[in-house]
Amino acid sequence: MGDPLVALPGGADPVERTRELRRAHAAFTRDGRVEAPVRAVIARSWRRCARARVSPECAPRVELAEAELRRYRAEHPLARVMPVFRDLVGTFAAHGAHLMAVCDARGSLLWVEGEPGTLRRAERLGFVPGARWSETAMGTNAPGTAVAVGEPVQVFGAEHFSRRVHPWTCAAAPVRDPRTGGVLGAVDITGGDGLAHPHSLAFVRAVARAAEAQLALLAPDPAAAADTLTALGRDEALLGTGGRTVRLSRRHSEIMALLAHHPEGLAGEELTIALYEDESVSPVTLRAEMSRLRGVLGDRAPLSRPYRTAAALASDFTALTRHLAGGAVSAALHRYPGPLLPASTAPGIVRLRRRIEDQARAAVVARADAGLLTDWVCSPWGADDPEAWRALAYALPPGRRAAALARVRALDLELGPGQGPVRPEAVRGGRATRSQPAGP
C-alpha cells in the first residue's frame, strides 16, 4: 500500500507513539490538521470521515435484527468460506485473546467470534454481529476502511476515528468475488496492542486470498448457471450467459432489462412503446434492433411472438426489489450501486427506474436508521434528496442535527418545499431538473 502499516521505527517507544497519535487525533478533530506521525492511509480515511460528518464520539448501531441477520448470513457468499476463516483465524484469535470478524461490502458485521472475555469487551463496544462498522458509520476502522478502499489495512489505537475504539488494534483484508472482482466483504482480526505488528496484516491478507481460492473452487459451472443481467448503476448492462459475460449496448441493455422485468413476454407493440420516446417509430426499427441483438447473443437471444428471453434471466434489480419487499433493507442497499440504466430515456425504463428508486428511498426513510440514511444522502443519487435529508435530521440525536437541517433548508430554497430529488433522465445539457416521485 506504499506507507508502513504500523509505523513503529526501530527503537520507537510504543507508549510515546500512542501519545503522539492521540495528540494528532485531537488536532484533526479540533481543526482538521493532520500531524505526524499519522500515516497517509489513515489521514485519507480521517478526511473521508470528516466529509461524511462522522463524529469522533460515534457509537455503532445494530441494523440487522436477529431474524434478518440469520437470513442474510445464510445467503451471503462469504458463508461458504466461514470454515476457512475459522480454521485459519479462529484458533489464532482464541489463543491470543483476539477476535475474528467478517463483514459484508457495506461494513455490516456478519460474524464476530473469538475468546470469550474479549467477546464480552467487544459487546460493550458494540462490535457485534448485525452492527454497522462502515467508515460512514464508525469512522476509520480496519474492516470498514478495508471495504471502503478495497485494500488490506491495519489500524492501531488512536488511528481509529472513534475515540471509544482507541484501546483496540485491528487488521482486515477485503475478500473479492473471484469471478467479478467485486468486494464481497472483509475478514478482520481485532484485539489489543499485540496485533500492532506487520505480520498481523500479512496474515489476514493471506487468509483473504485463501478464501478467494476456495470461492473459485466452489463456484458453479458457468455454463450451467442461469443467465444474469447486471443493470443497476450502469449505462451499459452486463449479461452473463452461456459461460461468458457480454457488455450490451445501451439499446440492447434496455431491451434485456424490460424483458427481465416481464418474463411473460411483451408483444412487439408493447416493447416498442416501452423503448422509444417517439410514438411514430416504425415496428421495423424494433425488428432491426432485435436482429442486431441476435448477432451478439446467437441462440441466447430473445425469442419473438411475444418477445421473451430464451432462458431464465435473473437481474440485480429484481433481487433488490425482492429484498425490499421482504423488509431486508440493509441487504437490499448492499445490492444497490445506483439507479437502473441511469442514462436511459426509454419510457419503460424511466418508469421502472423511478419505481425502484422510490421503493428503496421509502424503505430507507421508513427504517429511520441514521447509518442507512447517511449512506443514502452521501451517495450520488441521494445527495439532493430532501426527503432523505429530512429523515436523517430527525434520526440523529438533537445535538447532531444542525448540518442535516441546514442541507434540508438549502434544498428547499433551491427546489421549493416538497420537491423530489434529481432524476437521471431529467438531466439535459448539463443542467439538472427535478421531478416528483413516481406513482406505483
PDB file of all heavy atoms in Angstrom, residues 9 76 80 95 275 287 414:
ATOM      1  N   PRO A   9       9.169   2.865  14.096  1.00  0.00           N
ATOM      2  CA  PRO A   9      10.581   2.788  13.710  1.00  0.00           C
ATOM      3  C   PRO A   9      11.401   2.113  14.791  1.00  0.00           C
ATOM      4  O   PRO A   9      11.000   2.032  15.952  1.00  0.00           O
ATOM      5  CB  PRO A   9      10.981   4.266  13.530  1.00  0.00           C
ATOM      6  CG  PRO A   9       9.993   5.020  14.364  1.00  0.00           C
ATOM      7  CD  PRO A   9       8.710   4.242  14.304  1.00  0.00           C
ATOM      8  N   HIS A  76     -25.420 -15.098   2.105  1.00  0.00           N
ATOM      9  CA  HIS A  76     -24.255 -14.309   1.722  1.00  0.00           C
ATOM     10  C   HIS A  76     -23.142 -15.215   1.198  1.00  0.00           C
ATOM     11  O   HIS A  76     -22.898 -16.294   1.745  1.00  0.00           O
ATOM     12  CB  HIS A  76     -23.737 -13.503   2.923  1.00  0.00           C
ATOM     13  CG  HIS A  76     -22.837 -12.377   2.513  1.00  0.00           C
ATOM     14  ND1 HIS A  76     -21.502 -12.569   2.228  1.00  0.00           N
ATOM     15  CD2 HIS A  76     -23.085 -11.060   2.305  1.00  0.00           C
ATOM     16  CE1 HIS A  76     -20.972 -11.416   1.873  1.00  0.00           C
ATOM     17  NE2 HIS A  76     -21.904 -10.485   1.919  1.00  0.00           N
ATOM     18  N   ARG A  80     -20.017 -19.430   2.658  1.00  0.00           N
ATOM     19  CA  ARG A  80     -19.440 -20.654   2.099  1.00  0.00           C
ATOM     20  C   ARG A  80     -17.979 -20.842   2.501  1.00  0.00           C
ATOM     21  O   ARG A  80     -17.450 -21.956   2.402  1.00  0.00           O
ATOM     22  CB  ARG A  80     -19.558 -20.641   0.571  1.00  0.00           C
ATOM     23  CG  ARG A  80     -20.975 -20.371   0.073  1.00  0.00           C
ATOM     24  CD  ARG A  80     -21.031 -20.315  -1.430  1.00  0.00           C
ATOM     25  NE  ARG A  80     -20.949 -21.638  -2.020  1.00  0.00           N
ATOM     26  CZ  ARG A  80     -20.753 -21.863  -3.324  1.00  0.00           C
ATOM     27  NH1 ARG A  80     -20.559 -20.851  -4.152  1.00  0.00           N
ATOM     28  NH2 ARG A  80     -20.707 -23.094  -3.791  1.00  0.00           N
ATOM     29  N   HIS A  95      -6.537 -18.288  20.921  1.00  0.00           N
ATOM     30  CA  HIS A  95      -5.329 -18.436  21.737  1.00  0.00           C
ATOM     31  C   HIS A  95      -4.706 -17.083  22.087  1.00  0.00           C
ATOM     32  O   HIS A  95      -3.999 -16.978  23.094  1.00  0.00           O
ATOM     33  CB  HIS A  95      -4.303 -19.297  20.998  1.00  0.00           C
ATOM     34  CG  HIS A  95      -4.710 -20.746  20.941  1.00  0.00           C
ATOM     35  ND1 HIS A  95      -4.049 -21.677  20.165  1.00  0.00           N
ATOM     36  CD2 HIS A  95      -5.723 -21.416  21.542  1.00  0.00           C
ATOM     37  CE1 HIS A  95      -4.643 -22.860  20.299  1.00  0.00           C
ATOM     38  NE2 HIS A  95      -5.651 -22.719  21.134  1.00  0.00           N
ATOM     39  N   LEU A 275     -39.776   1.277 -25.383  1.00  0.00           N
ATOM     40  CA  LEU A 275     -38.405   1.606 -25.760  1.00  0.00           C
ATOM     41  C   LEU A 275     -38.228   2.996 -26.335  1.00  0.00           C
ATOM     42  O   LEU A 275     -37.195   3.647 -26.108  1.00  0.00           O
ATOM     43  CB  LEU A 275     -37.885   0.601 -26.793  1.00  0.00           C
ATOM     44  CG  LEU A 275     -37.396  -0.758 -26.292  1.00  0.00           C
ATOM     45  CD1 LEU A 275     -37.079  -1.657 -27.468  1.00  0.00           C
ATOM     46  CD2 LEU A 275     -36.172  -0.596 -25.403  1.00  0.00           C
ATOM     47  N   ARG A 287     -37.579  -4.450 -35.055  1.00  0.00           N
ATOM     48  CA  ARG A 287     -37.132  -5.728 -35.646  1.00  0.00           C
ATOM     49  C   ARG A 287     -35.667  -5.661 -36.040  1.00  0.00           C
ATOM     50  O   ARG A 287     -34.918  -6.636 -35.868  1.00  0.00           O
ATOM     51  CB  ARG A 287     -38.009  -6.077 -36.855  1.00  0.00           C
ATOM     52  CG  ARG A 287     -39.424  -6.504 -36.467  1.00  0.00           C
ATOM     53  CD  ARG A 287     -40.095  -7.257 -37.604  1.00  0.00           C
ATOM     54  NE  ARG A 287     -40.394  -6.385 -38.744  1.00  0.00           N
ATOM     55  CZ  ARG A 287     -41.519  -5.697 -38.893  1.00  0.00           C
ATOM     56  NH1 ARG A 287     -42.470  -5.767 -37.964  1.00  0.00           N
ATOM     57  NH2 ARG A 287     -41.712  -4.958 -39.957  1.00  0.00           N
ATOM     58  N   GLU A 414     -33.648  25.802  -3.053  1.00  0.00           N
ATOM     59  CA  GLU A 414     -33.287  25.560  -4.450  1.00  0.00           C
ATOM     60  C   GLU A 414     -34.439  24.951  -5.241  1.00  0.00           C
ATOM     61  O   GLU A 414     -34.705  25.335  -6.380  1.00  0.00           O
ATOM     62  CB  GLU A 414     -32.074  24.632  -4.511  1.00  0.00           C
ATOM     63  CG  GLU A 414     -31.619  24.304  -5.932  1.00  0.00           C
ATOM     64  CD  GLU A 414     -30.465  23.315  -5.958  1.00  0.00           C
ATOM     65  OE1 GLU A 414     -29.937  22.986  -4.883  1.00  0.00           O
ATOM     66  OE2 GLU A 414     -30.113  22.874  -7.062  1.00  0.00           O
TER      67      GLU A 414
END
